Amino acid sequence: MAVLADSNDNELKQLQDGGEGFTVPETNSFGQTFRDYDVESERQKGVEEFYRTQHINQTCDFVKRMREEYGKLNRVEMSIWECCELLNEFVDESDPDLDEPQIEHLLQTAEAIRKDYPNEDWLHLTGLIHDLGKVLLHPDFGELPQWAVVGDTFPVGCAFDESIVHHKYFKENPDYNNPAFNAKYGAYSEGCGLDNVFMSWGHDDYMYLVAKENKTTLPSAGLFIIRYHSFYALHRADAYKHLMNEEDIENLKWLKIFNKYDLYSKSKVRVDVEKVKPYYLSLIEKYFPEKLRW
Ligand SMILES: O[C@H]1[C@H](O)[C@@H](O)[C@H](O)[C@@H](O)[C@H]1O
Ligand SMILES: [Fe+2]
Ligand SMILES: [Fe+2]
């Protein structure tokens, strides 16, 4: 694995061609520190409003209904690459660090991983597909509102951890005052495994269902990354450890590695799609059927 170099001139250094490793930039494409949810800016106001709506509406009941409905996978048939192309038209309103179309972010993430982990092809592909669930924003998928698709995720059915961004807005969530759901364990038990935990509904859980039900051959760490990559309370703040089992603990190591590339590869530097496409098509063929049910 390549050594990380310190650098200020992030946009120039990162994601350049050549054999060097991936360089973690100090500032995002707006010149601010990454994931600063308290900075004063127009974009941040939108982000805060996004989290207010998300926190109020993501209830246990809502999550169960969405899982059931979207778990049917009866909406569209398409390949992984076709889905990447669909994402071209969407910008994520929850993201304080990036306002580029999503396909850029997919390729930036995958290419950054590839620099430091050239032999882990499953991790490159995980990078490429981790956000494909954002296709839920598309009219063919019911055009879900942003609060039901993007943003950080968290468990529902137990207490909302204080480390979740803009935690204060949970006060208006009906589950917040429900004794069955507002205790440390709530509907769960010690070490029950994250697989048994309902996560707020969005692109992560949806893409996890799509990959699993279409019988991907990605390793369990790949599926884990897809389902929990937005679960910052877990992989950043070390909250909710009491719900994890042995396998979760193993997989969390890969998720922490992955997060570095997911977060810090966000930049205005474009990836040459046509150039890298053949490589990713070969990975898709290796780990997925040609057409998937969505
Ligand atoms: O705003 C971002 C974005 O929606 C990402 O796709 C998600 O994974 C992050 O957790 C979130 O903070
Ligand atoms: Fe994401
Ligand atoms: Fe992402």
Side-chain angles (χ1 to χ4, degrees):
M1 192 183 134
V3 180
L4 295 178
D6 274 325
S7 160
N8 281 327
D9 48 344
N10 63 64
E11 295 198 0
L12 286 173
K13 286 246 176 100
Q14 61 177 320
L15 298 171
Q16 278 174 346
D17 277 334
E20 302 143 42
F22 171 70
T23 307
V24 173
E26 281 179 4
T27 52
N28 65 18
S29 41
F30 305 106
Q32 282 146 358
T33 47
F34 284 86
R35 288 180 63 82
D36 183 347
Y37 290 91
D38 297 317
V39 84
E40 293 266 332
S41 71
E42 267 315 300
R43 181 151 183 92
Q44 205 51 256
K45 275 186 211 148
V47 172
E48 180 159 352
E49 180 52 26
F50 164 87
Y51 275 110
R52 199 182 69 83
T53 327
Q54 191 215 38
H55 289 359
I56 294 173
N57 289 295
Q58 293 274 358
T59 61
C60 206
D61 180 58
F62 172 75
V63 168
K64 285 184 182 166
R65 277 189 288 120
M66 295 307 264
R67 245 196 159 227
E68 167 106 17
E69 180 52 34
Y70 281 89
K72 292 178 190 160
L73 304 180
N74 61 1
R75 286 162 198 266
V76 174
E77 249 196 36
M78 66 180 162
S79 69
I80 291 281
W81 191 261
E82 281 169 324
C83 189
C84 294
E85 287 178 337
L86 270 191
L87 280 197
N88 219 349
E89 53 187 281
F90 300 116
V91 173
D92 183 330
E93 291 173 12
S94 73
D95 198 331
D97 301 314
L98 188 73
D99 60 358
E100 293 293 319
Q102 284 295 309
I103 190 167
E104 291 296 326
H105 168 60
L106 298 178
L107 289 168
Q108 286 173 342
T109 307
E111 285 291 285
I113 295 171
R114 200 174 158 195
K115 286 191 160 187
D116 287 353
Y117 292 87
N119 300 323
E120 312 289 342
D121 69 354
W122 65 272
L123 197 56
H124 311 165
L125 183 59
T126 302
L128 181 80
I129 68 171
H130 76 283
D131 274 340
L132 285 187
K134 291 180 185 175
V135 78
L136 292 172
L137 296 166
H138 195 278
D140 289 352
F141 290 77
E143 217 167 355
L144 292 185
Q146 293 253 345
W147 64 260
V149 180
V150 299
D152 286 4
T153 59
F154 43 83
V156 294
C158 62
F160 303 116
D161 191 80
E162 298 257 335
S163 65
I164 301 167
V165 288
H166 295 305
H167 177 272
K168 58 178 185 282
Y169 294 122
F170 282 122
K171 295 201 174 91
E172 289 173 64
N173 182 310
D175 290 353
Y176 186 85
N177 294 313
N178 181 342
F181 295 150
N182 65 10
K184 179 174 176 189
Y185 286 100
Y188 312 111
S189 59
E190 171 135 37
C192 64
L194 294 177
D195 238 2
N196 295 306
V197 171
F198 286 101
M199 297 294 298
S200 54
W201 179 252
H203 66 285
D204 312 60
D205 202 22
Y206 176 59
M207 191 56 207
Y208 166 78
L209 289 174
V210 169
K212 201 170 71 134
E213 296 305 320
N214 284 284
K215 309 261 183 296
T216 179
T217 52
L218 279 175
S220 107
L223 288 168
F224 187 90
I225 289 169
I226 294 169
R227 188 164 195 247
Y228 307 111
H229 74 270
S230 303
F231 190 3
Y232 274 78
L234 180 85
H235 60 74
R236 266 284 163 109
D238 288 326
Y240 297 103
K241 284 255 154 91
H242 51 283
L243 301 178
M244 290 168 74
N245 63 21
E246 291 290 318
E247 196 183 357
D248 295 329
I249 293 169
E250 272 312 300
N251 284 335
L252 182 59
K253 295 178 192 157
W254 279 111
L255 176 55
K256 287 185 182 228
I257 291 172
F258 175 85
N259 177 249
K260 180 171 118 189
Y261 303 93
D262 182 17
L263 180 58
Y264 298 108
S265 69
K266 291 173 182 175
S267 85
K268 299 273 180 198
V269 181
R270 293 290 176 103
V271 176
D272 183 343
V273 180
E274 288 312 310
K275 196 168 144 206
V276 298
K277 187 173 165 184
Y279 175 65
Y280 290 104
L281 287 180
S282 75
L283 296 189
I284 292 168
E285 202 184 325
K286 180 170 171 188
Y287 290 101
F288 280 97
E290 197 185 326
K291 293 277 178 194
L292 287 79
R293 296 189 302 119
W294 299 79

